Amino acid sequence: MKRRSFLQVSALAGGGLMLGLVPEQAAAADGGFAPNAFISIDGAGLVTLMAKNPDMGQGVKTSLPMLLAEELDVDFARVRVLQAGANARMADQGSGGSQSVPQSWDQLRRAGAAARQMLMLAAAERWGVAVAELSTDKGQVLHAASGRRAGYGELAAAAARLKAPDPAGLKLKPRAEFKLLGRRVAQVDSAEIVRGAPLFCGDTQRPGLLHAVIAKSPVFGARPMSANLEQIKAMAGVRDAFLVEGDADALRPIPQDRPFRSLQPFVAIIATSTWAALKAKQALQVRWDDGAHKHHSSATYRATALQRLAEPGELWRDDGDVPGELARAAKVVEATYELPILAHTTMEPMSCFAEPTPEGGLRFIAPCQFPGIAVLAVQALLRVPAAKVEVQIARLGGGFGRRFESDFVLEAGTIALRMKAPIQLMYTREDDMRHDFYRPFGWQRLRGGLDAQGRLQALHVKHARHAFRDPVTPKLRASLFPARFVPNYRVEVAMVDSNVPAGAYRAPGSNLNAFMLESFTDELAHAAGQDPLAFRLALLGEDRELKEPDFSPTRMKGVLRLAAEKAGWGRRLPKGSGMGLAAYFSHGGYIAHVVELSVSRAGGVTVQRVTSAVDVGPIINLSGAEQQVQGSVIDGLSSSLWQEITIENGAAVQGNFDDNPHLRMPEVPPRIDVHFIQRDMAPTGLGEPAFPPLPPALGNAIFAATGKRVRSLPLRQHDLSWS
Amino acid sequence: MPRYALNINGQTRQADVDADTPLLWVLRDELQLCGTKYGCGKGLCGACTVHVDGQAQRSCQLPVAGLAGKRVTTIEGLHPQGKHPLQQAWIRLDVAQCGYCQCGQIMQAAALLKAKPRPTDTEIDEAMAGNLCRCGTQLRIRAAIKAVARGEGA
């Protein structure tokens, strides 16, 4: 969706707010002011702000309204925030790619500033004074010279009659004048979260609500040929059961011209209660048309990958003379790295509420990361015109990229249309873990050539990867660091064919590359006899700013130095203890972590502390930003220590937290210290970039503690014992 | 279908369900108490935690037939206005991220503090080990429990 900023003036009629979740009380009394899709102020001065983007815990239901509130100049503790649904009047509603804050920074600030300007103009007219003599403070317009003041509510009706100003001409607050941005603000939903108020789609109640569960082929993508449907339909509480043929190719990488996948093949069971549906699912027997891919397995993927790494691949970049420089190098370091398939395992499994509307359309209450895409998918695949598709956005019980997909929306919609009833669709944990769009596997073979002074002169990186749809083009991917920093640099890529469905997982591409590159950089440093921090600083070179693609060695060195300083880098630690360092640039952000841990002689890992330095420009909500960094660290520890999805006979093996565990409280380090370097610039996002550098920092710390180099994850497959 | 009389948050509630129906689904589907969440169905994640006679239990593992004569407390009943000291601390310290696990976390913590008003760090970690948080709010969960144990903001 193209970015655009526009404002329109419309007086609020009783009960008439725009699309999205509308409270049961009348939205506003007569005489209200709604200058754009984001702000409305009623005659009593109640300010309602629409939260543009879905909140999956990354805090945008709070931080984006803060952008409006800062420029509008209202007391944030007293505003009402409502979650917007899919709204054609709102641009950039997708929560993904760490883009919510960067894409909203200018447009929402201007929306707030425009509303404030109109309120001031209304006061100026009322008092017969120049606008330049007026100021605002927390929902009031003030005329210092005469001492007059008026609340925004009193001015609302008058402001609504004014022409909206040109947003481009508005003056935004300088950073030094921020009253709200940069502070610690608790999430707007906090009180409801802790009371168990209905916030998630599964909490929706309706008379006559039916509960649906689905079954999909364990071998990815196969169609159902037949099932014991009559037996299922005879079970207590079951209203219906049917096959949906779907598209067997729905799980292949999405074509570039379409942001959604086809409807998958599945079997649906609909019952009057969740328990009746789950019991019926246990009795369900399906014959799947699954012969074609049953030979796929993790073992065959590995064998194929290692073979590909031994052959020439597709050349993505070739600077200088890599073979020549490697031959001349004083020391050559070579290593092969591997990472497993990961499942998202959001705490709330895939779910969706859907009901038919009287106009022949569909209403969803859905945990979608990209509401606009959900509307397009329903229109294209369920043939309901977009004007008749309403997508309300519930809180997402975790996203991490999984809820970018529209499968649960299409499945709930299909069932609701067929049953002509409100439907609550729920995936079991096993469904969720076995029918994910996974973080795919990845391999890299790296060869680095060091000169006699221990400088990296040549680097050859060979990838063996899944054919997932990378948001970054090959040319761009290959021009990221360390391109332009190593004079002789070659990148080759080969594909490993696989039927594993792959999708966006927190920092796609980067979450594979960072582990391999930053662990190998550590290997190079040790081979050169240099401190890993010093080696990286030397590689980054002098302070400067590179363009196309943009990359700042200055800012990268800044986070490395800050993390190292705060962690006490260089302290002597006893044998079995160690510190590891890693830094990575992704999604516009620069993050460095230092992990301090100890490894028992038996090989048990205890992380004492993680120290993180973060540079993403200015911070909007200090509390939420700290959460994203600590959350990314714990996410990285969890997957690095415990997680992998293996494939056997074409199907995912793991299904729950017993065989694909998540980090538990006793394993969470006592300290994760987060330090921000803030700058006066447009912010970049923080949902993802703190994740990629954590696993290599962990691996590097294990090497420092034990002398054992970790080249694959999860750690639990390694023997880290030492003596 | 048998009818069960249950004591939920101090009230007698009726549910016409099969004997093997887990309490989790009785709460959510029959009684419209949606604060108790489904996360795994195998007692591994803690999102479904309630109190049964004051003890923290995983409601996905409790068949309704076994609850005769027992007092069940859900998050909705932890405090009449949702102002239990833990709930207040959770808000003050901005503990949640997505929020899905947090009712289970609070119920588990409430049972801990009832049994051990001043737990050690190790006791907190052990008591909370059965509650997963995918978003990584564990440091703040610890901090909120410790704040309440110290009597802050009561």
Side-chain angles (χ1 to χ4, degrees):
Chain A
M1 277 183 258
K2 271 184 22 191
R3 279 191 60 186
R4 61 190 184 278
S5 70
F6 66 93
L7 300 168
Q8 62 183 73
V9 177
S10 63
L12 272 177
L17 259 186
M18 64 296 301
L19 294 174
L21 285 170
V22 177
E24 281 182 24
Q25 309 86 289
D30 275 11
F33 171 51
N36 52 57
F38 307 108
I39 297 171
S40 63
I41 302 175
D42 72 9
L46 174 64
V47 177
T48 301
L49 302 179
M50 297 304 291
K52 177 166 68 73
N53 289 23
D55 199 315
M56 47 186 163
Q58 88 286 37
V60 291
K61 189 174 179 181
T62 304
S63 56
L64 265 52
M66 282 170 68
L67 297 175
L68 295 166
E70 177 71 72
E71 296 290 344
L72 177 59
D73 199 357
V74 289
D75 182 354
F76 194 67
R78 301 181 57 197
V79 306
R80 176 174 69 168
V81 173
L82 297 179
Q83 180 64 54
N87 187 336
R89 296 168 63 208
M90 295 186 183
D92 310 312
Q93 284 193 287
S95 287
S98 302
Q99 289 300 298
S100 294
V101 163
Q103 285 181 346
S104 304
W105 171 251
D106 190 69
Q107 58 169 302
L108 292 189
R109 289 180 68 199
R110 285 185 194 280
R116 175 176 173 270
Q117 179 78 346
M118 293 163 79
L119 290 158
M120 287 171 67
L121 283 167
E125 263 189 30
R126 176 169 299 179
W127 296 332
V129 302
V131 155
E133 294 173 39
L134 301 178
S135 64
T136 61
D137 183 40
K138 287 208 162 126
Q140 298 206 308
V141 180
L142 312 165
H143 185 235
S146 66
R148 278 177 288 190
R149 52 176 61 219
Y152 286 1
E154 298 172 54
L155 298 164
R161 290 192 289 270
L162 298 177
K163 187 165 173 288
D166 174 15
L170 292 165
K171 197 162 158 299
L172 301 179
K173 276 193 198 178
R175 189 154 176 251
E177 287 176 29
F178 287 164
K179 297 181 200 168
L180 179 64
L181 301 185
R183 294 184 157 206
R184 302 184 75 92
V185 178
Q187 285 199 78
V188 297
D189 280 350
S190 295
E192 289 178 281
I193 288 170
V194 303
R195 282 201 321 262
L199 289 167
F200 301 92
C201 69
D203 304 332
T204 307
Q205 306 289 346
R206 285 287 191 274
L209 179 67
L210 296 177
H211 298 267
V213 296
I214 52 90
K216 293 183 183 175
S217 167
V219 177
F220 301 113
R223 288 190 162 132
M225 293 197 292
S226 64
N228 58 338
L229 297 178
E230 293 314 308
Q231 181 195 337
I232 298 301
K233 286 194 274 193
M235 290 178 70
V238 176
R239 281 283 178 84
D240 204 353
F242 50 85
L243 311 185
V244 175
E245 196 181 279
D247 177 358
D249 285 337
L251 300 180
R252 305 297 289 171
I254 304 182
Q256 294 290 342
D257 64 340
R258 199 173 74 151
F260 50 83
R261 298 175 201 268
S262 308
L263 187 65
Q264 292 173 45
F266 67 100
V267 181
I269 299 174
I270 300 93
T272 51
S273 71
T274 308
W275 188 238
L278 290 174
K279 285 211 286 194
K281 188 172 145 91
Q282 278 173 356
L284 179 67
Q285 290 162 348
V286 186
R287 264 183 55 233
W288 302 98
D289 182 18
D290 62 3
H293 293 112
K294 268 199 164 137
H295 59 284
H296 283 245
S297 72
S298 291
T300 59
Y301 295 145
R302 179 174 298 108
T304 305
L306 295 176
Q307 193 187 325
R308 295 269 182 279
L309 291 178
E311 300 159 352
E314 186 187 329
L315 204 58
W316 281 13
R317 190 170 179 114
D318 200 12
D319 298 339
D321 173 21
V322 163
E325 285 301 320
L326 283 175
R328 285 189 281 279
K331 200 176 257 190
V332 174
V333 181
E334 174 168 340
T336 299
Y337 280 80
E338 169 182 346
L339 281 177
I341 298 165
L342 291 179
H344 293 80
T345 71
T346 56
M347 212 58 232
E348 176 199 26
M350 295 307 107
S351 329
C352 191
F353 170 87
E355 62 187 348
T357 61
E359 304 78 34
L362 276 172
R363 174 181 303 115
F364 295 89
I365 298 176
C368 296
Q369 288 183 227
F370 280 71
I373 293 178
V375 174
L376 294 176
V378 170
Q379 171 170 256
L381 297 167
L382 303 188
R383 308 223 185 278
V384 179
K388 292 188 178 177
V389 179
E390 183 185 336
V391 175
Q392 296 184 14
I393 297 297
R395 276 195 81 80
L396 284 67
F400 307 104
R402 176 59 177 91
R403 294 195 229 252
F404 164 79
E405 303 288 341
S406 298
D407 50 346
F408 47 92
V409 175
L410 292 169
E411 288 147 18
T414 298
I415 297 168
L417 286 173
R418 174 137 168 183
M419 300 303 297
K420 299 183 170 47
I423 295 294
Q424 196 68 270
L425 170 65
M426 188 193 85
Y427 283 30
T428 64
R429 176 56 60 190
E430 289 78 8
D431 294 335
D432 187 273
M433 208 175 276
R434 295 192 172 121
H435 301 292
D436 197 349
F437 290 92
Y438 302 92
R439 196 287 296 272
F441 48 61
W443 283 263
Q444 282 187 22
R445 194 196 70 183
L446 302 111
R447 294 172 74 206
L450 298 161
D451 65 18
Q453 287 74 45
R455 289 181 302 231
L456 182 63
Q457 292 295 347
L459 182 64
H460 184 185
V461 184
K462 196 91 161 287
H463 298 246
R465 48 162 285 195
H466 185 287
F468 72 93
R469 184 196 190 214
D470 193 333
V472 175
T473 64
K475 182 161 180 263
L476 180 55
R477 183 65 72 191
S479 59
L480 301 176
F481 184 88
R484 301 180 292 183
F485 290 81
V486 185
N488 305 278
Y489 180 54
R490 175 180 281 184
V491 178
E492 280 179 78
V493 178
M495 298 298 175
V496 175
D497 183 53
S498 159
N499 74 333
V500 172
Y505 184 111
R506 202 172 207 169
S510 302
N511 64 46
L512 290 164
N513 193 54
F515 174 69
M516 315 216 186
L517 179 65
E518 277 293 284
S519 299
F520 189 69
T521 300
D522 215 59
E523 294 202 56
L524 290 169
H526 286 286
Q530 291 177 33
D531 170 84
L533 171 66
F535 185 85
R536 286 177 173 78
L537 294 175
L539 183 57
L540 286 163
E542 42 181 56
D543 282 359
R544 63 207 187 283
E545 309 295 315
L546 300 183
K547 297 280 175 211
E548 287 174 34
D550 292 0
F551 180 71
S552 170
T554 313
R555 294 173 73 188
M556 187 59 106
K557 289 188 292 176
V559 295
L560 277 163
R561 288 194 174 111
L562 182 60
E565 175 204 324
K566 296 293 186 185
W569 182 263
R571 267 169 33 234
R572 276 221 96 89
L573 292 168
K575 182 133 203 252
S577 293
M579 279 197 269
L581 169 71
Y584 204 72
F585 168 74
S586 73
H587 302 93
Y590 301 83
I591 284 93
H593 296 301
V594 173
V595 172
E596 183 176 335
L597 52 72
S598 56
V599 182
S600 67
R601 281 185 200 273
V605 176
T606 304
V607 178
Q608 268 91 31
R609 177 167 65 138
V610 179
T611 306
S612 307
V614 176
D615 182 350
V616 290
I619 297 297
I620 310 305
N621 181 350
L622 201 51
S623 183
E626 186 185 85
Q627 285 267 44
Q628 287 315 292
V629 181
Q630 291 179 333
S632 296
V633 166
I634 290 170
D635 194 357
L637 291 175
S638 188
S639 51
S640 299
L641 257 51
W642 292 115
Q643 293 174 353
E644 65 175 335
I645 297 294
T646 54
I647 307 296
E648 268 166 43
N649 301 317
V653 170
Q654 291 75 17
N656 213 309
F657 295 115
D658 42 10
D659 49 18
N660 188 34
H662 192 68
L663 206 70
R664 293 188 178 275
M665 185 69 98
E667 300 166 293
V668 174
R671 286 172 65 175
I672 302 173
D673 299 340
V674 182
H675 305 276
F676 293 104
I677 298 176
Q678 297 200 45
R679 299 173 189 280
D680 194 1
M681 52 178 275
T684 55
L686 197 43
E688 291 164 289
F691 181 68
L694 191 284
L698 176 69
N700 295 342
I702 287 171
F703 180 80
T706 65
K708 293 195 168 180
R709 179 55 66 184
V710 170
R711 297 200 177 106
S712 67
L713 296 174
L715 285 184
R716 63 165 160 159
Q717 65 191 221
H718 297 298
D719 173 9
L720 299 176
S721 62
W722 59 275
S723 54
Chain B
M1 191 170 285
R3 167 162 295 185
Y4 292 93
L6 302 165
N7 181 336
I8 310 285
N9 299 327
Q11 289 186 319
T12 302
R13 304 291 300 268
Q14 312 274 357
D16 295 326
V17 289
D18 288 342
D20 65 352
T21 308
L23 174 61
L24 169 65
W25 297 116
V26 175
L27 294 171
R28 291 188 62 79
D29 289 353
E30 309 304 321
L31 304 181
Q32 283 78 51
L33 292 167
C34 59
T36 309
K37 302 291 189 223
Y38 169 83
C40 71
K42 287 176 86 166
L44 298 167
C45 78
C48 68
T49 305
V50 299
H51 298 167
V52 179
D53 289 338
Q55 302 289 313
Q57 300 278 344
R58 312 301 184 212
S59 62
C60 74
Q61 301 296 295
L62 296 177
V64 67
L67 292 168
K70 303 203 179 178
R71 283 177 303 113
V72 174
T73 310
T74 70
I75 187 70
E76 292 89 348
L78 183 65
H79 183 280
Q81 289 90 38
K83 292 192 159 133
H84 186 281
L86 284 168
Q87 290 169 310
Q88 294 188 59
W90 243 249
I91 295 170
R92 207 165 60 245
L93 298 183
D94 195 26
V95 172
Q97 287 186 41
C98 86
Y100 194 78
C101 76
Q102 300 295 347
C103 291
Q105 304 276 2
I106 290 169
M107 293 306 284
Q108 184 70 28
L112 165 66
L113 290 180
K114 199 116 201 249
K116 285 197 172 107
R118 304 186 92 84
T120 64
D121 287 357
T122 304
E123 285 169 337
I124 292 174
D125 281 358
E126 282 171 359
M128 303 304 292
N131 290 76
L132 296 182
C133 171
R134 176 66 179 86
C135 298
T137 70
Q138 288 90 340
L139 293 181
R140 293 198 181 183
I141 291 173
R142 282 180 182 146
I145 293 170
K146 293 208 267 202
V148 174
R150 286 193 298 267
E152 285 173 17

